[in-house]
Amino acid sequence: MDILKTKAEMQTWSAAKKRQGKSIAFVPTMGYLHKGHVSLLEIGKPLSDELVLSIFVNPTQFGPNEDLDAYPSNIQNDLDLAEQAGVTAVFLPDKNEMYGPDYQTHVYLDHLPRYLCGRSRPIHFGGVATVVTKLFNIVMPDVAVFGKKDFQQLAVIRQMVKDLDFNIRIIGGEIIRETDGLAMSSRNAYLTPAQRASAVCLSRAINLLKQRVDQGVRSVPDLVREAESFILSFDHTRIDYIELCHPRTLEPVDTVQSETLLALAVQVGKSRLIDNALIGPT
Amino acid sequence: MDILKTKAEMQTWSAAKKRQGKSIAFVPTMGYLHKGHVSLLEIGKPLSDELVLSIFVNPTQFGPNEDLDAYPSNIQNDLDLAEQAGVTAVFLPDKNEMYGPDYQTHVYLDHLPRYLCGRSRPIHFGGVATVVTKLFNIVMPDVAVFGKKDFQQLAVIRQMVKDLDFNIRIIGGEIIRETDGLAMSSRNAYLTPAQRASAVCLSRAINLLKQRVDQGVRSVPDLVREAESFILSFDHTRIDYIELCHPRTLEPVDTVQSETLLALAVQVGKSRLIDNALIGPT
């Protein structure tokens, strides 16, 4: 497994593989890998000759009061998991490698970032779109795998790839959960034991609304109200949003008439946790 | 010479060439080719195995009151010139091919577009950066050639390529001029004979200021004032800007102390003409 710390090294590595006719699968991450990330590597592995993992905590996708400085890191464990998953190259740039001092170019989307997490994280998806554009140009993959836990991020990347004509296939990996249903996230590391117990409220709220929709409830205000009181019955919880929306445009809907994205963000202690599911008639 | 009308065809063509180990040089244009464009093709030809020309009048880089609908076109002549110049593929998408109906992704730069042409054309360079990003992803070139007549465009592209980590070498081609000094431009086609006679004022103003700087004049206000009255002594002229600025950042300067970009834009009849030169001590 090669470890490449500069953009030039990574680009040279990828260009050489491509000249040899090798295909490249790519899983970009912010490190502190868990089983969710490993599942993305497992999706990419059989699809290509080479499997590249990037680890970079991208500062431009964090707002001023977010957890950039606290973001957990364990590079040695990440490298061990990568090796086990058959990664052939890790791109591990340091903070100063990715953005030069006169950096001034950005990628943004008009609509998708306005919804869901974009409301409380207004600069987030521009930062994501920009760093992923950079990573795509550095790694030059044929296929890239992103987790569906970050559903809006996946929607942004798919739209950007289509709009900017990247010759890259995008695959979404299913959400991987702890045995009690909590979606795996590096941010679960911030939870105290009491908060960890409350964190199950997100997946349980999803199950509750799935049940209600199966029972015939279609009114989004009614569904949201029920989820709200359910989540607030847990300690240490503060709701950022509970929304039902169109799964492609992310525009809010009033009634559940077809397949609908249920997405929620809940602050549990210091961790802002997100979860989502597709619900309703398909 | 292959003519490719869809993004998918062009991407497939380029991917096949790259798999064969071939390098690709690329000259993006809006068509109505003249000797300036041909000189860019001549620069690209010996640098690579394949030479791709694109012809696309990009609507997103024109403002609402600009000449999008009037932009001249002569595809058959373009294809003849391309063939003569050794182009191996022409990418010739139609208007609806480049931007889908739900298109929403843009590339923009913070600083370089604020100066020079960006003042009177506020959306222009965002449109350029975005379409060039798309064209780079579609053609996947190793090297791309842009003319120095559009000096600010070249600066924007260079910055964007560096910031977004495109693995593409950018080359600037020298300005090609008519025998009387007028910089070649597709927009010269709009000029009536009387306006064509006046259009020489741009290159003559550059020569005048070069002379003054050689004579020791260093004050930018003095130089600009002299160029203004010189240009306005020609019929049919209206000055958009005459500026002296830093050749990399494009920030205006007060005195000519080192190599300086002299750039000007003059409306002559219906044609907005631009020209530029590096002047001052190197």
Side-chain angles (χ1 to χ4, degrees), chain A residues 6-62:
Chain A
T6 67
K7 300 190 276 194
E9 284 171 323
M10 185 71 241
Q11 234 162 15
T12 303
W13 187 96
S14 286
K17 297 298 180 188
K18 289 180 101 68
R19 269 197 306 277
Q20 295 162 22
K22 302 272 179 72
S23 63
I24 298 173
F26 177 41
V27 178
T29 76
M30 300 208 298
Y32 209 70
L33 301 193
H34 51 66
K35 286 181 192 164
H37 300 107
V38 171
S39 76
L40 305 180
L41 295 171
E42 286 167 353
I43 291 170
K45 187 65 189 169
L47 296 176
S48 61
D49 303 306
E50 304 291 340
L51 178 59
V52 177
L53 166 76
S54 69
I55 300 173
F56 178 62
V57 181
N58 174 40
T60 72
Q61 71 193 61
F62 287 79

Side-chain angles (χ1 to χ4, degrees), chain A residues 188-203:
Chain A
N188 294 349
Y190 304 147
L191 298 167
T192 65
Q195 292 161 357
R196 173 64 187 81
S198 286
V200 77
C201 69
L202 288 92
S203 60

Side-chain angles (χ1 to χ4, degrees), chain A residues 105-106 108 110 134 163 165, chain B residues 105-106 108 110 134 163 165:
Chain A
T105 310
H106 311 276
Y108 75 95
D110 289 328
K134 288 167 65 68
D163 287 349
D165 301 305
Chain B
T105 309
H106 311 277
Y108 75 97
D110 289 327
K134 287 166 66 67
D163 287 349
D165 301 304

Side-chain angles (χ1 to χ4, degrees), chain A residues 228-240:
Chain A
E228 273 172 1
S229 34
F230 178 77
I231 287 170
L232 293 176
S233 74
F234 289 77
D235 291 335
H236 316 289
T237 57
R238 194 167 54 73
I239 294 168
D240 183 357

